[in-house]
Amino acid sequence: MDYEVFLLSRIVDEHRRGSDTETAVAVGLQRTGGLFTSAALVFATVMAALALSSLVLLKLIGVGLALAVLLDCTVIRALLVPAVMRLAGRANWWMPQLGRRKDRSVPSPTPVPAAPMEAP
């Protein structure tokens, strides 16, 4: 599961509550920032522990993945995504015609009746 889903769902939730794009992005980042940071630090620590191995391949993989996850957490999720969303403004909330037909966030008003069970 990608943590980007958490960030974007928080931003969408805040926007649906009536906030503008700028506020929604700020609140979404505020609510998910701790989760991103702690998950990235745990993963980077585990991957950096591979650097203590005597195998060169494990050292390379450990250091590479540790740096990659720290870069992803800081540059992509904390800087790039909010900046692009702020620049896009109202275009963030545009939905193609196919997606407008069925809003999956609203539950169906009429429940589907269960099929009758037959006795054995």
Side-chain angles (χ1 to χ4, degrees):
M1 183 89 181
D2 193 8
Y3 290 101
E4 196 71 32
V5 174
F6 295 131
L7 173 63
L8 293 177
S9 66
R10 290 289 182 203
I11 292 172
V12 169
D13 288 345
E14 189 62 31
H15 185 264
R16 285 184 179 167
R17 286 189 189 114
S19 299
D20 61 334
T21 301
E22 218 172 291
T23 306
V25 170
V27 170
L29 261 177
Q30 180 185 13
R31 290 186 180 166
T32 59
L35 175 70
F36 286 169
T37 305
S38 59
L41 287 176
V42 167
F43 189 78
T45 303
V46 170
M47 290 299 112
L50 290 176
L52 301 175
S53 172
S54 61
L55 298 173
V56 176
L57 182 61
L58 282 181
K59 285 183 180 189
L60 180 69
I61 290 171
V63 171
L65 285 175
L67 290 175
V69 76
L70 290 175
L71 268 172
D72 179 52
C73 180
T74 56
V75 175
I76 303 295
R77 296 178 189 179
L79 297 174
L80 193 59
V81 170
V84 169
M85 288 191 76
R86 182 170 179 188
L87 287 174
R90 288 183 47 114
N92 287 311
W93 317 115
W94 175 80
M95 185 180 293
Q97 187 63 32
L98 290 175
R100 289 183 197 164
R101 289 189 300 171
K102 185 176 183 182
D103 187 7
R104 294 185 179 110
S105 65
V106 179
S108 175
T110 56
V112 178
M117 297 184 67
E118 296 179 19

